[in-house]
Amino acid sequence: MTEVPLLQAQPGAIARALADAGVPYADAIGSALSFVVVFAVVYLAGKIAILPAIDRVLRSRSLDAHARRPLRRVASIVVLFAAAGIAFRFAGYGDILTALATVGAAATLAIGFAMQDVLKNFVAGIFIYTDEPFRIGDWIEWGDNAGVVEDISLRVSRVRTFDNELLTVPNSLLTEDVIKNPVAKDKLRLKIDFGIGYDDDIQAATEIVVEEAEAHPEILDDPAPSVRLVELGDSSVGLQSRVWIANPSRSDFVKVKSDYVQAVKERFDDQDVDIPYPNRTIGGEIEFTNVDAMADATETATDD
């Protein structure tokens, strides 16, 4: 008698047991039960043993969440595929790769068109992972949008706007567009404009702007704050302050700028430095014609 491999014998044993119990379609049901049981056992074993081990390896290499999440998703897909392959073989259905190749050959064209965007975003997700233009927690800007990155998957990235709206952005959109990442480095420069009157002392105003920058605890001394005259406007002289903050975030950016501008405004008020606003003078004259006829008509109407 020819020896039957273990992977082929087990479904047969289940089918024989079902046949002995008088269950109809015993072979088909036995194979299906074998597939379900083996798939569940292998998949759960992978989830319990393999995925945590992969997590430990990734953490031991000091990879952050930005890198771990997509790699863990890939590992989950591999475990799922392995469980299906083993269960497919164990149930007596043959080699899953051969079956998939047969089905895939018939459906390649349709799937190719349907998966175009998915594959495009998948490849873009890999580029985001390898190039690291931004990470989870970064504040990014692209086009007319801005927000904090909450999640990066292999197909889409999720960005929380500053109005607390969640944007689900296809990865290809982020790799094809220009992405501005103000917090990618450990320092960020802020450029803040102030306008003073033409009659005000530019040097005195400059000293006030610099002193308030030096007094602010969140503004760095190195690089030192600086002020440049950048504009001679219609109604004001434009001064631009350039200061640096460390470990930037969106909240730091807004708070530091607000506190700094308020401090400069209060010093300007104390030192009688004017912050002018645009004035418009309308010239010319208005000429009325036929005024006497209008007056006569008014008098006539009054007499009536």
Side-chain angles (χ1 to χ4, degrees):
M1 182 177 179
T2 304
E3 182 180 355
V4 180
L6 176 62
L7 293 178
Q8 300 293 335
Q10 296 304 323
I14 296 175
R16 284 194 300 273
L18 293 174
D20 293 341
V23 177
Y25 307 108
D27 290 340
I29 295 174
S31 295
L33 288 175
S34 298
F35 179 87
V36 171
V37 172
V38 174
F39 176 83
V41 170
V42 176
Y43 182 71
L44 289 176
K47 292 279 284 186
I48 294 171
I50 297 176
L51 294 183
I54 291 174
D55 266 345
R56 288 194 293 272
V57 171
L58 296 178
R59 291 179 186 276
S60 68
R61 295 180 176 273
S62 301
L63 294 178
D64 58 17
H66 167 86
R68 290 199 307 270
R69 288 190 184 185
L71 290 177
R72 197 177 190 283
R73 288 190 178 97
V74 171
S76 297
I77 293 172
V78 171
V79 169
L80 180 66
F81 186 79
I86 294 172
F88 206 86
R89 184 72 175 173
F90 196 93
Y93 294 144
D95 190 347
I96 188 174
L97 295 179
T98 302
L100 289 179
T102 303
V103 175
T108 299
L109 186 60
I111 292 175
F113 281 114
M115 296 288 286
Q116 242 181 349
D117 288 340
V118 174
L119 292 175
K120 181 180 180 181
N121 289 318
F122 180 85
V123 173
I126 294 175
F127 284 141
I128 290 175
Y129 163 65
T130 56
D131 296 343
E132 295 186 355
F134 53 83
R135 297 168 177 263
I136 293 173
D138 281 0
W139 153 35
I140 63 172
E141 299 177 359
W142 76 101
D144 296 328
N145 301 296
V148 176
V149 180
E150 287 197 344
D151 182 55
I152 302 171
S153 70
L154 289 174
R155 190 179 66 85
V156 299
S157 296
R158 293 175 176 82
V159 181
R160 180 76 61 178
T161 71
F162 302 113
D163 293 327
N164 204 34
E165 301 168 330
L166 183 63
L167 302 180
T168 300
V169 189
N171 286 331
S172 60
L173 202 64
L174 296 177
T175 54
E176 293 172 356
D177 202 350
V178 176
I179 300 297
K180 180 179 175 181
N181 187 343
V183 297
K185 304 300 181 180
D186 58 354
K187 290 193 289 286
L188 176 66
R189 187 177 72 175
L190 310 183
K191 294 188 289 186
I192 305 169
D193 294 330
F194 299 98
I196 63 173
Y198 273 90
D199 294 332
D200 291 316
D201 187 334
I202 295 176
Q203 183 60 37
T206 298
E207 290 175 359
I208 290 174
V209 174
V210 171
E211 288 171 4
E212 291 304 320
E214 293 173 342
H216 197 292
E218 301 299 324
I219 293 178
L220 299 177
D221 296 327
D222 185 19
S226 63
V227 178
R228 297 288 184 271
L229 194 157
V230 294
E231 182 185 17
L232 297 176
D234 293 337
S235 58
S236 67
V237 176
L239 301 178
Q240 185 177 86
S241 174
R242 301 178 181 184
V243 299
W244 293 81
I245 60 174
N247 302 317
S249 69
R250 171 72 180 190
S251 58
D252 293 337
F253 171 87
V254 174
K255 185 177 185 303
V256 170
K257 182 176 180 179
S258 175
D259 292 345
Y260 177 45
V261 170
Q262 180 177 342
V264 171
K265 173 64 167 64
E266 291 173 353
R267 282 288 304 280
F268 278 1
D269 291 343
D270 290 340
Q271 301 296 322
D272 294 326
V273 176
D274 185 30
I275 301 180
Y277 48 85
N279 292 311
R280 294 290 183 266
T281 301
I282 299 176
E285 57 185 30
I286 300 174
E287 182 178 351
F288 293 97
T289 60
N290 203 18
V291 176
D292 294 338
M294 292 173 60
D296 292 341
T298 304
E299 291 175 1
T300 301
T302 303
D303 293 339
D304 292 342

